[in-house]
Amino acid sequence: MKLQYMQSQSQRVALAGIFVILLPSFFPNLFAPLGRSYPSTFSEWNAPKPRHLPLLEGALHQQAPQRQQSDLWSPLPDQGWKPCVDSSKVPSLLKKSEGYIQVFLDGGLNQQRMGYLSSKICDAVAVAKILNATLVLPHLEVNPVWQDSSSFPDIFDVDHFINVLKDEVSIVQQLPNEYFWSTREYYATGIRATRIKMAPSHASAHWYLENVLPVLQSYGIAAIAPFSHRLAFDNLPSDIQHLRCKVNFQALVFVPKIRMLGEVLINRLRRSPDRNIAAGTKYLDERTGSVDKQEPGKFVVLHLRFDKDMAAHSACDFGGGKAEKLALAKYRQVLWQGRVLNSQFTDEELRNQGRCPLTPEEIGLLLAALGFSNSTRLYLASHKVYGGEARISTLRKLFPLMEDKKSLASADELAEVNGKASVLAAIDYYVSMQSDIFISASPGNMHNALVGHRAYINLKTIRPNMVLLGQLFLNRSMTWSEFQQAIHNGHKNRQGQIRIRKEKQSIYTYPAPDCMYRA
């Protein structure tokens, strides 16, 4: 994909769409509550040796055929699906609003893991449309667990957001003075008539008309908190579904500083390693486009989600020995009081069911078997893993040109965004959307968000076949060539092909047919 194409206005608009700020999966250390810290030493586990040594030896000595390399990097062919958010019909905005709608996007650490920030914003706009209400710019809760005070304007371009939607939904940045009292603190100190607290998950449009509209008509304002997964994906009017798509893929655009730093990282990834300048020395030149031009290279983004929460909740064995098993079991007891469904299964049963997240070693073997060579530019969108560098060393051995924000950018360039986990995650998302290929080490909200967003603009995204991989890694007698063949056969149709949304599935993960039409 050519850089100039990715810098077009339409692409920049799309790049912030399904932005899922799944912050704990990006930055586990930043989000560890008091009493929950991630070890910087190996006090609770033994640094594991490679668990699949014969496969690793084969991967390190492989030479992928030229044809396989070419097929791997080739863009997806036209699949016949086009975005349908640009309607020829003139949107209608009723003149008289029923009142103001506030949504508070908090809910705590666990709830944030269950949803996408952007999907909540999209649903909030849709609810405002259903109720013919004026939406107050969504409030992002400042949570001490997050250690992040980023607000909506720190992440998304507010003027663009309001302007794109102005003909369909009325949006204001703040309440008028007469409603100054309607704050998060006000609703936290007692039962309030204007707060909608019991909105069911995946509520219908009818539920909002029956339960929220009367509050609006009585008080002129309604605050919905919590607001996570509070609107159904099915049985909604087509104009509401199209509006959700429009918010997701057109209205939500990152602020310039995020796009600017993202472009710097992308430019450095696309340069050949021997021409890459020490990070930061030409930041100003890159922003103005005065760096010498060359044919842009290609790169893969890997979302490597392997934090302690995921490792513990999976109840799988990751090779850290008895100490690690005991530490993770204790962690499960503290966080979930032992109520973890996977705990009742053996490691072998979990792997046969595809329920174990891939370790850095395993995702590296998958990439190598797919045909990626040791000269591949690999960007880690999430590099804080349980076990640190010792756990990631095998992946780095397979892909020595692996990069992340810290290796590509200077301390000065990152100074303005350090400590702002939401903004750092947004930068990773921006880079992920401009990569030639995206792959996630395990399914989850970040994975789902990018699968849907990249499908919307027909970009290659590899979805690991977790059941197949679990079974293959259990087979200790498999040769490298057998492993390669099994991986190749099992991933032919998992590289960005359009999948039609089924009942109850998210339109943000499966944009066809609600957000797309067959040309």
Side-chain angles (χ1 to χ4, degrees):
M1 171 184 318
K2 296 196 177 196
L3 186 58
Q4 56 265 37
Y5 168 74
M6 300 306 294
Q7 291 177 325
S8 69
Q9 177 60 31
S10 61
Q11 188 66 18
R12 288 199 305 271
V13 166
L15 282 172
I18 297 179
F19 172 52
V20 159
I21 306 181
L22 182 56
L23 297 175
S25 73
F26 272 103
F27 306 102
N29 287 326
L30 290 176
F31 294 87
L34 294 175
R36 289 172 55 192
S37 59
Y38 288 74
S40 56
T41 66
F42 306 134
S43 58
E44 65 176 56
W45 63 289
N46 300 318
K49 298 178 180 179
R51 303 190 75 192
H52 311 286
L53 193 56
L55 295 180
L56 178 60
E57 290 295 328
L60 289 171
H61 295 94
Q62 76 159 343
Q63 288 187 343
Q66 190 66 32
R67 172 92 179 263
Q68 183 182 3
Q69 284 277 323
S70 177
D71 291 344
L72 186 63
W73 288 104
S74 62
L76 285 176
D78 187 345
Q79 300 184 65
W81 287 89
K82 305 295 180 185
C84 61
V85 291
D86 290 323
S87 174
S88 59
K89 297 180 181 179
V90 178
S92 59
L93 176 62
L94 299 180
K95 291 183 179 180
K96 182 173 173 54
S97 170
E98 295 287 353
Y100 294 93
I101 283 286
Q102 285 180 290
V103 294
F104 296 97
L105 307 184
D106 54 354
L109 186 61
N110 290 335
Q111 281 72 20
Q112 284 300 323
R113 289 187 168 194
M114 295 171 62
Y116 322 119
L117 176 63
S118 61
S119 70
K120 297 175 186 178
I121 295 170
C122 297
D123 289 349
V125 173
V127 167
K129 179 70 172 179
I130 290 168
L131 297 170
N132 185 34
T134 298
L135 177 67
V136 183
L137 204 66
H139 175 82
L140 312 188
E141 180 72 2
V142 179
N143 193 313
V145 172
W146 297 4
Q147 303 177 19
D148 181 14
S149 60
S150 299
S151 63
F152 190 108
D154 291 326
I155 303 166
F156 300 111
D157 187 325
V158 174
D159 291 337
H160 180 87
F161 179 71
I162 294 174
N163 186 61
V164 168
L165 300 171
K166 66 182 180 187
D167 294 325
E168 297 193 63
V169 179
S170 175
I171 302 173
V172 295
Q173 295 195 43
Q174 58 187 18
L175 286 167
N177 289 336
E178 63 184 293
Y179 297 109
F180 74 94
W181 46 267
S182 186
T183 63
R184 190 69 179 90
E185 293 71 26
Y186 172 75
Y187 294 112
T189 56
I191 298 174
R192 310 297 185 185
T194 53
R195 179 182 179 184
I196 311 298
K197 187 178 181 181
M198 303 304 292
S201 295
H202 305 296
S204 66
H206 178 74
W207 186 92
Y208 283 96
L209 292 170
E210 288 287 311
N211 294 275
V212 183
L213 184 57
V215 176
L216 280 174
Q217 293 172 333
S218 297
Y219 300 98
I221 188 170
I224 308 175
F227 189 81
S228 177
H229 299 297
R230 302 299 165 177
L231 184 62
F233 287 116
D234 303 303
N235 302 316
L236 289 174
S238 60
D239 64 319
I240 296 298
Q241 296 289 62
H242 290 164
L243 176 60
R244 292 165 111 175
C245 302
K246 186 173 184 177
V247 179
N248 209 34
F249 298 118
Q250 288 191 329
L252 288 174
V253 175
F254 293 135
V255 293
K257 71 177 181 182
I258 290 175
R259 301 200 306 265
M260 187 179 298
L261 185 51
E263 289 294 344
V264 168
L265 300 181
I266 292 160
N267 287 343
R268 291 172 184 166
L269 282 165
R270 293 202 182 280
R271 277 203 299 261
S272 60
D274 57 336
R275 291 175 58 111
N276 227 338
I277 309 159
T281 58
K282 286 200 175 181
Y283 181 32
L284 293 176
D285 289 336
E286 287 171 339
R287 289 192 298 177
T288 58
S290 61
V291 175
D292 58 330
K293 302 294 182 181
Q294 68 170 40
E295 184 68 22
K298 296 182 178 182
F299 69 96
V300 181
V301 167
L302 167 62
H303 178 231
L304 182 57
R305 185 185 174 196
F306 195 77
D307 55 54
K308 188 174 182 179
D309 279 14
M310 170 172 273
H313 197 271
S314 72
C316 299
D317 178 9
F318 299 107
K322 184 177 180 180
E324 180 181 84
K325 288 181 182 179
L326 291 174
L328 294 180
K330 181 178 179 180
Y331 194 74
R332 280 194 295 276
Q333 185 63 37
V334 171
L335 261 65
W336 302 290
Q337 292 74 52
R339 296 191 297 269
V340 175
L341 179 63
N342 282 6
S343 297
Q344 63 186 294
F345 299 102
T346 66
D347 180 72
E348 183 175 350
E349 289 171 331
L350 291 171
R351 293 188 181 279
N352 272 313
Q353 297 170 31
R355 295 166 72 171
C356 291
L358 298 178
T359 65
E361 175 190 2
E362 290 167 345
I363 192 67
L365 291 171
L366 168 61
L367 289 169
L370 286 169
F372 292 103
S373 70
N374 62 3
S375 63
T376 298
R377 303 303 303 278
L378 190 65
Y379 177 86
L380 289 187
S382 176
H383 67 282
K384 293 267 188 178
V385 301
Y386 175 52
E389 184 60 31
R391 182 81 75 178
I392 215 171
S393 60
T394 302
L395 176 63
R396 193 177 299 281
K397 189 174 183 180
L398 286 166
F399 298 99
L401 302 183
M402 192 164 60
E403 307 276 10
D404 55 38
K405 288 184 296 297
K406 289 185 178 179
S407 67
L408 287 171
S410 69
D412 289 342
E413 291 168 355
L414 294 174
E416 188 179 354
V417 298
N418 272 335
K420 298 180 179 179
S422 305
V423 176
L424 290 167
I427 293 167
D428 276 345
Y429 190 94
Y430 186 90
V431 175
S432 298
M433 278 303 300
Q434 295 208 42
S435 66
D436 298 278
I437 299 172
F438 173 83
I439 185 170
S440 179
S442 57
N445 289 331
M446 175 67 175
H447 166 90
N448 292 341
L450 279 157
V451 164
H453 199 169
R454 290 175 65 91
Y456 182 77
I457 52 178
N458 202 44
L459 297 178
K460 184 171 284 189
T461 305
I462 298 173
R463 297 182 296 112
N465 187 330
M466 300 300 288
V467 173
L468 172 66
L469 287 163
Q471 295 169 355
L472 292 180
F473 286 127
L474 284 172
N475 186 345
R476 300 297 182 181
S477 63
M478 178 169 281
T479 66
W480 174 246
S481 61
E482 291 171 337
F483 181 77
Q484 273 186 305
Q485 189 61 49
I487 290 296
H488 180 72
N489 292 338
H491 290 83
K492 284 181 178 178
N493 297 316
R494 303 179 66 90
Q495 301 191 23
Q497 290 83 358
I498 291 289
R499 295 177 293 162
I500 304 300
R501 187 178 75 86
K502 299 176 182 178
E503 187 177 1
K504 295 184 180 180
Q505 289 182 330
S506 167
I507 66 172
Y508 312 119
T509 306
Y510 303 91
D514 301 273
C515 303
M516 308 177 76
Y517 69 96
R518 187 176 287 280

